[in-house]
Coordinates of all heavy atoms in Angstrom, one line a residue:
M1 N 8.9 22.6 5.5 CA 9.3 23.3 4.3 C 8.5 22.6 3.1 O 8.5 21.4 3.0 CB 10.8 23.2 4.1 CG 11.5 24.6 4.1 SD 13.1 24.4 3.6 CE 13.9 24.0 5.1
P2 N 8.0 23.4 2.2 CA 7.3 22.8 1.1 C 8.2 22.3 0.0 O 9.4 22.7 -0.2 CB 6.5 24.0 0.5 CG 7.3 25.2 0.9 CD 8.1 24.9 2.2
I3 N 7.7 21.3 -0.8 CA 8.4 20.8 -1.9 C 8.0 21.6 -3.1 O 6.8 21.7 -3.3 CB 8.1 19.3 -2.1 CG1 8.7 18.5 -0.9 CG2 8.7 18.8 -3.3 CD1 8.3 17.0 -0.9
Y4 N 9.0 22.0 -3.9 CA 8.7 22.7 -5.1 C 9.3 21.8 -6.2 O 10.2 21.2 -6.1 CB 9.2 24.1 -5.2 CG 8.5 25.0 -4.2 CD1 9.1 25.5 -3.1 CD2 7.2 25.4 -4.6 CE1 8.4 26.4 -2.3 CE2 6.5 26.3 -3.8 CZ 7.1 26.8 -2.6 OH 6.4 27.7 -1.8
E5 N 8.6 22.0 -7.4 CA 9.2 21.3 -8.6 C 9.9 22.3 -9.4 O 9.4 23.4 -9.7 CB 8.0 20.7 -9.3 CG 8.5 19.7 -10.4 CD 7.4 19.0 -11.1 OE1 6.3 19.4 -11.0 OE2 7.7 18.0 -11.9
F6 N 11.0 22.0 -9.9 CA 11.8 22.9 -10.7 C 12.1 22.2 -12.0 O 12.1 21.1 -12.2 CB 13.2 23.2 -10.0 CG 13.0 24.0 -8.8 CD1 12.8 23.3 -7.5 CD2 13.1 25.3 -8.7 CE1 12.7 24.0 -6.4 CE2 12.9 26.0 -7.5 CZ 12.7 25.4 -6.3
E7 N 12.3 23.1 -13.0 CA 12.7 22.7 -14.3 C 13.9 23.4 -14.7 O 14.1 24.7 -14.5 CB 11.5 23.0 -15.4 CG 11.9 22.4 -16.7 CD 10.7 22.7 -17.7 OE1 10.5 23.8 -18.0 OE2 10.0 21.7 -18.2
C8 N 14.8 22.7 -15.3 CA 16.1 23.2 -15.7 C 16.0 23.8 -17.1 O 15.4 23.1 -18.0 CB 17.2 22.2 -15.7 SG 18.8 22.7 -16.4
E9 N 16.4 25.1 -17.3 CA 16.2 25.7 -18.6 C 17.3 25.3 -19.5 O 17.4 25.5 -20.7 CB 16.2 27.3 -18.5 CG 14.9 27.7 -17.9 CD 14.9 29.2 -17.6 OE1 16.0 29.8 -17.7 OE2 13.8 29.7 -17.2
Q10 N 18.4 24.7 -19.0 CA 19.5 24.2 -19.7 C 19.3 22.8 -20.3 O 19.5 22.6 -21.6 CB 20.7 24.1 -18.8 CG 22.1 24.3 -19.4 CD 22.3 25.8 -19.8 OE1 21.8 26.8 -19.1 NE2 22.9 26.0 -20.9
C11 N 18.8 21.9 -19.5 CA 18.7 20.5 -20.0 C 17.3 20.0 -20.0 O 17.0 18.9 -20.4 CB 19.7 19.5 -19.3 SG 19.2 19.3 -17.6
G12 N 16.3 20.7 -19.4 CA 15.0 20.3 -19.4 C 14.7 19.4 -18.2 O 13.5 18.9 -18.0
E13 N 15.7 19.1 -17.4 CA 15.4 18.2 -16.2 C 14.4 18.8 -15.3 O 14.4 20.0 -15.0 CB 16.7 17.9 -15.6 CG 16.7 17.1 -14.3 CD 16.6 15.6 -14.5 OE1 16.7 15.2 -15.7 OE2 16.4 14.9 -13.6
R14 N 13.6 17.9 -14.9 CA 12.6 18.4 -13.8 C 13.0 17.6 -12.5 O 13.2 16.5 -12.5 CB 11.2 18.0 -14.1 CG 10.6 19.0 -15.2 CD 9.2 18.7 -15.4 NE 8.7 19.7 -16.4 CZ 7.3 19.9 -16.6 NH1 6.5 19.2 -15.9 NH2 7.0 20.8 -17.5
F15 N 12.9 18.3 -11.4 CA 13.3 17.7 -10.1 C 12.5 18.5 -9.0 O 12.1 19.6 -9.2 CB 14.8 17.7 -9.9 CG 15.4 19.1 -9.9 CD1 15.7 19.8 -8.8 CD2 15.7 19.7 -11.2 CE1 16.2 21.1 -8.8 CE2 16.3 21.0 -11.3 CZ 16.6 21.6 -10.1
E16 N 12.4 17.8 -7.9 CA 11.7 18.4 -6.8 C 12.7 18.7 -5.7 O 13.6 17.9 -5.4 CB 10.6 17.4 -6.2 CG 9.4 17.4 -7.2 CD 8.5 16.2 -6.7 OE1 8.7 15.5 -5.8 OE2 7.3 16.3 -7.3
E17 N 12.5 19.8 -5.0 CA 13.5 20.2 -4.0 C 12.6 20.8 -2.8 O 11.6 21.4 -3.0 CB 14.4 21.3 -4.5 CG 15.6 20.8 -5.3 CD 16.7 20.4 -4.4 OE1 16.8 20.7 -3.3 OE2 17.5 19.5 -5.0
L18 N 13.2 20.5 -1.6 CA 12.6 21.2 -0.4 C 13.3 22.4 -0.2 O 14.4 22.5 0.1 CB 12.8 20.2 0.8 CG 11.9 19.1 1.1 CD1 12.5 18.3 2.3 CD2 10.6 19.7 1.6
V19 N 12.5 23.5 -0.5 CA 13.2 24.8 -0.3 C 12.2 25.8 0.4 O 11.0 25.6 0.4 CB 13.6 25.5 -1.6 CG1 14.6 24.7 -2.3 CG2 12.4 25.6 -2.6
A20 N 12.8 26.8 1.0 CA 12.0 27.9 1.6 C 11.3 28.6 0.5 O 11.8 28.7 -0.7 CB 12.8 28.8 2.4
A21 N 10.2 29.2 0.8 CA 9.3 29.8 -0.3 C 10.1 30.9 -0.9 O 9.9 31.2 -2.1 CB 8.0 30.3 0.3
D22 N 11.0 31.6 -0.2 CA 11.6 32.7 -0.7 C 13.1 32.5 -1.1 O 13.8 33.4 -1.4 CB 11.6 33.9 0.3 CG 12.2 33.6 1.6 OD1 12.4 32.4 1.8 OD2 12.2 34.5 2.5
A23 N 13.4 31.2 -1.1 CA 14.9 30.9 -1.4 C 15.1 30.9 -2.9 O 14.1 30.8 -3.7 CB 15.1 29.5 -0.9
A24 N 16.3 31.1 -3.3 CA 16.7 31.1 -4.7 C 16.5 29.7 -5.2 O 16.6 28.7 -4.5 CB 18.1 31.5 -5.0
A25 N 16.3 29.6 -6.6 CA 16.1 28.2 -7.1 C 17.4 27.5 -7.0 O 18.5 28.0 -7.2 CB 15.8 28.4 -8.7
P26 N 17.3 26.2 -6.7 CA 18.5 25.4 -6.6 C 19.1 25.0 -8.0 O 18.5 25.2 -8.9 CB 18.0 24.1 -5.9 CG 16.5 24.0 -6.3 CD 16.0 25.4 -6.5
A27 N 20.4 24.6 -7.9 CA 21.0 24.2 -9.2 C 20.3 22.9 -9.7 O 19.8 22.1 -9.0 CB 22.6 24.0 -9.0
C28 N 20.4 22.7 -11.0 CA 19.9 21.6 -11.5 C 20.5 20.3 -11.0 O 21.7 20.2 -10.9 CB 20.1 21.6 -13.1 SG 19.6 20.1 -14.0
A29 N 19.6 19.3 -10.8 CA 20.1 18.0 -10.2 C 20.9 17.2 -11.2 O 21.7 16.4 -10.9 CB 18.8 17.3 -9.7
A30 N 20.6 17.4 -12.5 CA 21.3 16.7 -13.6 C 22.5 17.3 -14.1 O 23.5 16.6 -14.3 CB 20.2 16.4 -14.7
C31 N 22.4 18.6 -14.4 CA 23.6 19.2 -15.1 C 24.3 20.3 -14.3 O 25.3 20.8 -14.6 CB 23.1 19.7 -16.5 SG 22.2 21.3 -16.3
G32 N 23.7 20.6 -13.2 CA 24.3 21.6 -12.3 C 24.0 23.0 -12.6 O 24.5 23.9 -12.0
S33 N 23.4 23.3 -13.7 CA 23.1 24.6 -14.2 C 22.2 25.3 -13.1 O 21.4 24.8 -12.5 CB 22.3 24.6 -15.5 OG 21.8 25.8 -15.7
E34 N 22.4 26.6 -13.0 CA 21.7 27.4 -12.0 C 20.5 28.0 -12.7 O 19.7 28.8 -12.1 CB 22.6 28.4 -11.4 CG 23.5 27.8 -10.3 CD 24.5 28.8 -9.7 OE1 24.3 30.0 -9.9 OE2 25.4 28.3 -9.1
H35 N 20.3 27.8 -14.0 CA 19.2 28.3 -14.7 C 18.0 27.4 -14.6 O 17.6 26.7 -15.5 CB 19.5 28.5 -16.2 CG 20.7 29.6 -16.4 ND1 20.4 30.9 -16.4 CD2 22.0 29.4 -16.7 CE1 21.6 31.5 -16.5 NE2 22.4 30.7 -16.7
T36 N 17.5 27.4 -13.4 CA 16.3 26.6 -13.1 C 15.2 27.5 -12.7 O 15.4 28.6 -12.2 CB 16.5 25.6 -12.0 OG1 17.0 26.3 -10.8 CG2 17.6 24.5 -12.4
R37 N 14.0 27.0 -13.0 CA 12.8 27.9 -12.6 C 11.7 27.0 -11.9 O 11.6 25.7 -12.2 CB 12.1 28.6 -13.8 CG 11.6 27.6 -14.8 CD 11.4 28.4 -16.1 NE 10.9 27.5 -17.2 CZ 9.6 27.2 -17.3 NH1 8.7 27.7 -16.5 NH2 9.3 26.3 -18.3
R38 N 11.1 27.6 -11.0 CA 10.2 26.8 -10.1 C 8.9 26.7 -10.9 O 8.4 27.7 -11.6 CB 9.8 27.7 -8.9 CG 9.1 26.8 -7.8 CD 9.3 27.5 -6.5 NE 8.2 28.5 -6.3 CZ 8.3 29.5 -5.5 NH1 9.3 29.6 -4.7 NH2 7.2 30.4 -5.4
L39 N 8.3 25.5 -10.9 CA 7.1 25.3 -11.7 C 5.9 25.5 -10.7 O 6.0 25.2 -9.5 CB 7.1 23.8 -12.2 CG 8.2 23.5 -13.2 CD1 8.2 22.1 -13.5 CD2 8.0 24.3 -14.4
L40 N 4.8 25.9 -11.3 CA 3.6 25.9 -10.5 C 3.1 24.5 -10.5 O 2.4 24.1 -11.5 CB 2.6 26.8 -11.1 CG 3.0 28.3 -11.1 CD1 2.0 29.1 -11.9 CD2 3.0 28.7 -9.7
S41 N 3.4 23.7 -9.6 CA 3.1 22.3 -9.5 C 1.8 22.1 -8.7 O 1.4 22.9 -7.9 CB 4.2 21.4 -9.0 OG 4.1 21.4 -7.6
S42 N 1.2 20.9 -8.9 CA 0.0 20.6 -8.2 C 0.3 20.0 -6.9 O -0.7 19.6 -6.2 CB -0.9 19.7 -9.1 OG -0.1 18.5 -9.4
V43 N 1.5 19.8 -6.6 CA 1.9 19.2 -5.3 C 1.4 20.1 -4.1 O 1.8 21.3 -4.1 CB 3.4 19.0 -5.2 CG1 3.8 18.4 -3.8 CG2 4.0 18.1 -6.3
S44 N 0.6 19.5 -3.3 CA 0.2 20.4 -2.1 C 0.6 19.7 -0.9 O 0.1 18.8 -0.4 CB -1.4 20.4 -2.0 OG -2.0 20.3 -3.4
P45 N 1.7 20.3 -0.3 CA 2.2 19.8 0.9 C 1.3 19.8 2.0 O 0.4 20.7 2.1 CB 3.4 20.7 1.2 CG 3.7 21.5 0.0 CD 2.4 21.6 -0.8
P46 N 1.4 18.8 3.0 CA 0.4 18.8 4.0 C 0.5 20.1 4.8 O 1.5 20.6 5.0 CB 0.9 17.6 4.9 CG 1.8 16.9 4.1 CD 2.3 17.8 3.0
G47 N -0.7 20.5 5.4 CA -0.7 21.8 6.1 C -0.9 23.0 5.2 O -1.1 24.1 5.8
R48 N -0.8 22.9 3.9 CA -1.0 24.0 3.1 C -2.2 23.9 2.1 O -2.5 24.7 1.3 CB 0.3 24.3 2.2 CG 1.5 24.5 3.0 CD 2.6 25.1 2.1 NE 2.9 26.5 2.4 CZ 3.1 27.4 1.5 NH1 3.0 27.2 0.2 NH2 3.3 28.7 1.9
Q49 N -3.0 22.8 2.4 CA -4.1 22.7 1.6 C -5.2 23.6 2.1 O -5.4 23.8 3.3 CB -4.7 21.2 1.8 CG -3.9 20.2 0.9 CD -4.3 18.9 1.1 OE1 -5.0 18.5 2.1 NE2 -3.8 17.9 0.3
P50 N -5.9 24.1 1.2 CA -7.0 25.0 1.6 C -8.1 24.3 2.3 O -8.4 23.2 1.9 CB -7.6 25.6 0.3 CG -7.1 24.7 -0.8 CD -5.8 24.0 -0.3
R51 N -8.7 24.9 3.3 CA -9.8 24.3 3.9 C -11.0 24.3 2.9 O -11.3 25.4 2.4 CB -10.3 25.1 5.2 CG -9.2 25.0 6.3 CD -9.7 25.7 7.5 NE -8.9 25.2 8.7 CZ -9.1 24.0 9.3 NH1 -10.1 23.3 9.0 NH2 -8.3 23.8 10.3
G52 N -11.6 23.2 2.7 CA -12.6 23.2 1.6 C -13.1 21.8 1.3 O -13.2 20.9 2.2
A53 N -13.4 21.5 0.1 CA -14.0 20.3 -0.3 C -13.1 19.1 0.1 O -13.7 18.1 0.6 CB -14.1 20.2 -1.9
G54 N -11.8 19.2 0.0 CA -10.9 18.0 0.4 C -11.1 17.7 1.9 O -11.3 16.5 2.2
V55 N -11.1 18.7 2.7 CA -11.3 18.4 4.1 C -12.6 17.9 4.5 O -12.8 16.9 5.2 CB -11.2 19.8 4.9 CG1 -11.4 19.6 6.3 CG2 -9.7 20.3 4.7
R56 N -13.7 18.4 3.8 CA -15.0 17.9 4.1 C -15.1 16.5 3.6 O -15.8 15.6 4.3 CB -16.0 18.7 3.3 CG -16.5 19.8 4.2 CD -17.9 20.4 3.8 NE -17.8 20.9 2.5 CZ -17.3 22.2 2.1 NH1 -16.9 22.9 3.0 NH2 -17.3 22.5 0.9
S57 N -14.5 16.1 2.4 CA -14.7 14.8 1.9 C -13.9 13.8 2.8 O -14.4 12.6 3.0 CB -14.3 14.7 0.4 OG -12.9 14.6 0.3
D58 N -12.8 14.1 3.3 CA -12.0 13.3 4.3 C -12.9 13.0 5.5 O -13.0 11.9 5.9 CB -10.8 14.0 4.8 CG -9.6 13.8 3.9 OD1 -9.8 13.1 2.9 OD2 -8.5 14.3 4.1
E59 N -13.7 14.1 6.0 CA -14.4 13.8 7.1 C -15.6 13.0 6.8 O -16.0 12.1 7.6 CB -14.9 15.2 7.6 CG -15.9 15.2 8.8 CD -15.2 14.7 10.0 OE1 -14.0 14.7 10.1 OE2 -15.9 14.4 11.0
S60 N -16.2 13.1 5.6 CA -17.4 12.3 5.3 C -16.9 10.9 5.0 O -17.6 9.9 5.4 CB -18.2 12.9 4.1 OG -17.5 12.7 2.9
R61 N -15.8 10.7 4.4 CA -15.3 9.3 4.3 C -15.1 8.6 5.6 O -15.4 7.4 5.9 CB -13.9 9.2 3.5 CG -14.1 9.2 2.0 CD -12.9 8.7 1.4 NE -11.7 9.6 1.6 CZ -11.4 10.6 0.8 NH1 -12.2 10.9 -0.2 NH2 -10.3 11.4 1.1
R62 N -14.5 9.4 6.6 CA -14.4 8.8 8.0 C -15.7 8.4 8.6 O -15.8 7.3 9.1 CB -13.6 9.9 8.8 CG -13.0 9.3 10.1 CD -12.5 10.4 10.9 NE -13.5 11.2 11.5 CZ -14.3 10.9 12.5 NH1 -14.2 9.8 13.0 NH2 -15.4 11.7 12.9
R63 N -16.6 9.3 8.4 CA -18.0 9.0 8.9 C -18.5 7.7 8.3 O -19.1 6.9 8.9 CB -19.0 10.1 8.7 CG -18.7 11.2 9.8 CD -20.0 12.0 10.0 NE -19.7 13.3 10.5 CZ -19.7 14.4 9.8 NH1 -19.9 14.3 8.4 NH2 -19.4 15.5 10.2
E64 N -18.4 7.6 6.9 CA -18.8 6.4 6.2 C -18.2 5.1 6.7 O -18.9 4.1 7.0 CB -18.6 6.6 4.8 CG -19.7 7.4 4.0 CD -19.3 7.7 2.6 OE1 -18.5 6.9 2.0 OE2 -19.8 8.7 2.1
R65 N -16.9 5.2 6.9 CA -16.2 4.0 7.5 C -16.7 3.7 8.8 O -17.0 2.5 9.2 CB -14.7 4.3 7.6 CG -14.0 4.0 6.3 CD -12.4 3.8 6.6 NE -11.8 4.9 7.4 CZ -11.3 5.9 6.8 NH1 -11.4 6.1 5.4 NH2 -10.8 6.9 7.4
E66 N -16.9 4.7 9.7 CA -17.4 4.4 11.1 C -18.8 3.8 11.0 O -19.1 2.9 11.7 CB -17.4 5.7 11.8 CG -17.8 5.6 13.2 CD -17.0 4.8 14.2 OE1 -15.8 4.5 13.7 OE2 -17.4 4.4 15.3
A67 N -19.7 4.3 10.1 CA -21.0 3.8 10.0 C -21.0 2.4 9.5 O -21.7 1.5 10.0 CB -21.8 4.7 9.0
A68 N -20.1 2.1 8.6 CA -20.0 0.7 8.1 C -19.5 -0.3 9.2 O -20.0 -1.4 9.3 CB -19.0 0.6 6.9
R69 N -18.6 0.3 10.0 CA -18.1 -0.6 11.1 C -19.3 -0.9 12.1 O -19.4 -2.0 12.5 CB -16.9 0.1 11.8 CG -16.1 -0.7 12.7 CD -14.9 0.1 13.3 NE -15.3 1.1 14.2 CZ -15.5 0.9 15.5 NH1 -15.2 -0.3 15.9 NH2 -15.9 1.8 16.3
Q70 N -20.0 0.1 12.4 CA -21.1 0.0 13.4 C -22.1 -1.1 12.8 O -22.7 -1.8 13.5 CB -21.8 1.3 13.6 CG -20.9 2.3 14.3 CD -20.6 1.9 15.8 OE1 -21.3 0.9 16.3 NE2 -19.6 2.4 16.4
D71 N -22.3 -0.9 11.5 CA -23.3 -1.9 10.8 C -22.8 -3.4 11.0 O -23.6 -4.2 11.3 CB -23.4 -1.6 9.3 CG -24.4 -0.5 8.9 OD1 -25.0 -0.1 9.9 OD2 -24.6 -0.2 7.8
R72 N -21.5 -3.5 10.7 CA -21.0 -4.9 10.8 C -21.1 -5.4 12.3 O -21.5 -6.5 12.4 CB -19.5 -5.0 10.3 CG -19.3 -5.0 8.9 CD -17.9 -5.5 8.5 NE -16.9 -4.6 9.0 CZ -16.5 -3.5 8.4 NH1 -17.0 -3.1 7.3 NH2 -15.5 -2.8 9.0
L73 N -20.7 -4.6 13.2 CA -20.9 -4.9 14.6 C -22.3 -5.3 14.9 O -22.6 -6.3 15.5 CB -20.5 -3.8 15.5 CG -18.9 -3.6 15.7 CD1 -18.7 -2.4 16.6 CD2 -18.4 -4.8 16.5
A74 N -23.2 -4.5 14.5 CA -24.6 -4.7 14.8 C -25.1 -6.1 14.2 O -25.8 -6.8 14.8 CB -25.5 -3.6 14.3
S75 N -24.7 -6.3 12.9 CA -25.2 -7.5 12.3 C -24.5 -8.7 12.9 O -25.1 -9.8 13.0 CB -25.0 -7.4 10.7 OG -23.6 -7.5 10.4
S76 N -23.3 -8.6 13.3 CA -22.6 -9.8 13.9 C -23.2 -10.1 15.3 O -23.4 -11.2 15.8 CB -21.1 -9.6 14.0 OG -20.7 -8.8 15.1
R77 N -23.7 -9.0 15.9 CA -24.3 -9.2 17.3 C -25.7 -9.9 17.1 O -26.1 -10.8 17.8 CB -24.5 -7.8 18.0 CG -23.5 -7.6 19.0 CD -23.9 -6.4 19.8 NE -22.8 -5.5 20.0 CZ -22.7 -4.2 19.5 NH1 -23.7 -3.7 18.8 NH2 -21.7 -3.5 19.7
K78 N -26.4 -9.5 16.0 CA -27.7 -10.0 15.7 C -27.5 -11.6 15.4 O -28.3 -12.4 15.9 CB -28.3 -9.4 14.4 CG -29.4 -8.4 14.9 CD -30.1 -7.8 13.6 CE -29.8 -6.2 13.6 NZ -29.8 -5.7 12.3
K79 N -26.5 -11.9 14.6 CA -26.2 -13.3 14.2 C -26.0 -14.1 15.5 O -26.5 -15.2 15.6 CB -25.0 -13.3 13.3 CG -25.5 -13.2 11.8 CD -24.2 -13.3 10.9 CE -24.5 -12.8 9.6 NZ -23.3 -12.5 8.9
R80 N -25.1 -13.6 16.3 CA -24.8 -14.4 17.6 C -26.1 -14.5 18.5 O -26.3 -15.5 18.9 CB -23.8 -13.5 18.4 CG -22.5 -14.4 18.6 CD -21.5 -13.6 19.3 NE -20.7 -12.8 18.3 CZ -20.0 -11.6 18.4 NH1 -20.2 -11.0 19.6 NH2 -19.3 -11.1 17.5
A81 N -26.9 -13.5 18.5 CA -28.1 -13.5 19.3 C -29.0 -14.7 18.7 O -29.8 -15.3 19.4 CB -28.8 -12.2 19.3
A82 N -29.0 -14.8 17.4 CA -29.8 -15.8 16.7 C -29.2 -17.2 16.8 O -29.7 -18.1 16.3 CB -30.1 -15.4 15.2
G83 N -28.0 -17.2 17.3 CA -27.3 -18.6 17.4 C -26.6 -19.0 16.2 O -26.3 -20.2 16.1
E84 N -26.4 -18.0 15.2 CA -25.7 -18.4 14.0 C -24.2 -18.3 14.2 O -23.8 -17.5 15.0 CB -26.1 -17.5 12.8 CG -27.5 -17.9 12.2 CD -27.8 -16.8 11.2 OE1 -26.9 -16.3 10.6 OE2 -29.0 -16.6 11.1
K85 N -23.4 -19.0 13.5 CA -22.0 -18.8 13.5 C -21.7 -17.7 12.5 O -22.3 -17.6 11.5 CB -21.2 -20.1 13.1 CG -21.4 -21.1 14.2 CD -20.4 -22.2 14.0 CE -20.5 -23.1 15.2 NZ -20.7 -24.5 15.0
P86 N -20.7 -16.9 12.8 CA -20.4 -15.7 11.9 C -19.9 -16.2 10.6 O -19.2 -17.2 10.5 CB -19.3 -15.0 12.7 CG -19.0 -15.7 13.9 CD -19.9 -16.9 14.1
Ligands
LIG101 ZN1 20.0 20.8 -16.2

């Protein structure tokens, strides 16, 4: 279930609630008023992110980490072959 951010029209309190997409707005966490509205928040729950730049950059970061690891392995192997201490 996605997390939505709500704002109370009564007291201005903002709070986050786990609710179904078509559920009614929950009562205010601070004053109990039912006059709350869902905010268009930037919170993107996992699994609902669009496939795009974020996914690609995650993948490229992973490749960079793997490449760096291979570099370290290769250089430590070279050092050992040359008889140096790491
Ligand atoms: Zn309130």
Side-chain angles (χ1 to χ4, degrees):
M1 243 190 273
I3 292 176
Y4 289 109
E5 193 175 12
F6 293 88
E7 186 177 64
C8 176
E9 291 176 346
Q10 208 70 33
C11 70
E13 174 79 3
R14 286 188 176 195
F15 56 101
E16 288 174 347
E17 280 278 335
L18 272 172
V19 293
D22 56 353
C28 172
C31 72
S33 165
E34 285 175 14
H35 297 284
T36 55
R37 59 194 178 88
R38 198 164 81 198
L39 298 175
L40 293 172
S41 85
S42 57
V43 178
S44 329
R48 297 195 112 223
Q49 286 177 343
R51 290 184 167 277
V55 174
R56 269 201 299 280
S57 77
D58 275 358
E59 176 67 15
S60 72
R61 272 202 296 275
R62 195 186 66 76
R63 279 208 206 97
E64 275 167 28
R65 274 203 303 275
E66 180 67 13
R69 195 173 70 87
Q70 294 293 342
D71 273 1
R72 280 199 300 277
L73 276 175
S75 71
S76 74
R77 261 191 226 112
K78 257 181 245 152
K79 276 184 193 154
R80 236 173 274 145
E84 285 176 30
K85 291 197 168 123

